[in-house]
Amino acid sequence: MILPITIYSDDILRQKAKPLKGVDAETEELIGYMFESMHNASGIGLAAPQVGRSLRLLVLDVSCLDNYSEVKPMVVINPHVVAVQGFNSMEEGCLSIPGVQGDVERPAAISLKYRDEHFAERSGEFSGMLARVLQHEIDHLDGKLFVDRMERRDRRKIQKELDLLSAGIVTAKYPVVGRSE
Ligand code: NI
């Protein structure tokens, strides 16, 4: 089932999402729907608040990108970044902010502890695009969006687009839900 994506002005995108206590049948179903919805929208990462669920759960699949075709899709639950290394700047976009891109500086590599789709404890070191997507999606679990991290000068250039999204004027090639208030 394809779930509609919550858009910029939706309150749920500003909430701190709740940790999961386990993975039950309902969670498994949600994970499946999240992959389906992400692929349908040509996204490479999707966090549960983006489909209206305030849970610390995200999915990612970067296998469509050059040099990442061997990387398996990931389910990441209750993630904790335990260490970071370096910094770089990359252009980001977000399915919840359609039509907007901008440069964001973030740590270049991260050490992560998390639970997988079986709720088993995992840890890993991630760099390159995986570090980038993971940090973007983990931000979603803390109510943060990439535009919050853009330099003020760059942010001013996209303010008009953000205002349109806030006003509920959304153009996207996938189903969306607008304001919640
Ligand atoms: Ni996003």
Side-chain angles (χ1 to χ4, degrees), residues 50 93-95 136-137 140:
Q50 293 182 277
C94 180
L95 294 178
H136 174 117
E137 301 309 331
H140 275 300

Side-chain angles (χ1 to χ4, degrees), residues 17-179:
K18 289 192 179 62
L20 273 75
K21 296 197 174 84
V23 174
D24 56 13
E26 198 184 330
T27 312
E28 281 176 4
E29 189 179 64
L30 175 63
I31 290 167
Y33 293 159
M34 284 175 66
F35 273 114
E36 207 179 328
S37 307
M38 176 179 72
H39 288 139
N40 177 65
S42 302
I44 55 176
L46 187 70
Q50 293 182 277
V51 290
R53 304 292 301 273
S54 195
L55 296 170
R56 302 189 80 76
L57 159 66
L58 63 93
V59 299
L60 70 87
D61 183 0
V62 295
S63 62
C64 61
L65 303 176
D66 287 346
N67 305 320
Y68 289 88
S69 57
E70 305 296 313
V71 179
K72 290 199 176 70
M74 277 177 79
V75 176
V76 174
I77 293 169
N78 301 348
H80 287 283
V81 175
V82 291
V84 300
Q85 204 178 13
F87 270 99
N88 61 22
S89 183
M90 285 174 77
E91 188 175 70
E92 295 188 19
C94 180
L95 294 178
S96 294
I97 316 177
V100 174
Q101 275 92 34
D103 290 334
V104 181
E105 194 170 276
R106 295 187 190 270
I110 59 169
S111 300
L112 192 70
K113 286 193 169 178
Y114 62 101
R115 303 264 183 170
D116 66 11
E117 62 271 35
H118 308 297
F119 211 64
E121 281 190 53
R122 300 282 288 260
S123 60
E125 317 284 318
F126 300 96
S127 60
M129 191 56 91
L130 277 175
R132 179 57 59 160
V133 178
L134 281 165
Q135 289 176 90
H136 174 117
E137 301 309 331
I138 291 168
D139 264 359
H140 275 300
L141 309 183
D142 293 322
K144 275 209 178 71
L145 301 172
F146 81 91
V147 293
D148 306 339
R149 296 190 181 275
M150 287 172 66
E151 281 193 35
R152 200 174 298 174
R153 194 181 34 165
D154 292 340
R155 167 79 184 238
R156 271 201 293 271
K157 290 181 199 157
I158 57 151
Q159 192 57 51
K160 195 178 281 179
E161 280 90 339
L162 295 180
D163 291 345
L164 287 172
L165 291 174
S166 295
I169 300 163
V170 183
T171 311
K173 293 185 176 123
Y174 43 86
V176 299
V177 280
R179 305 171 72 92

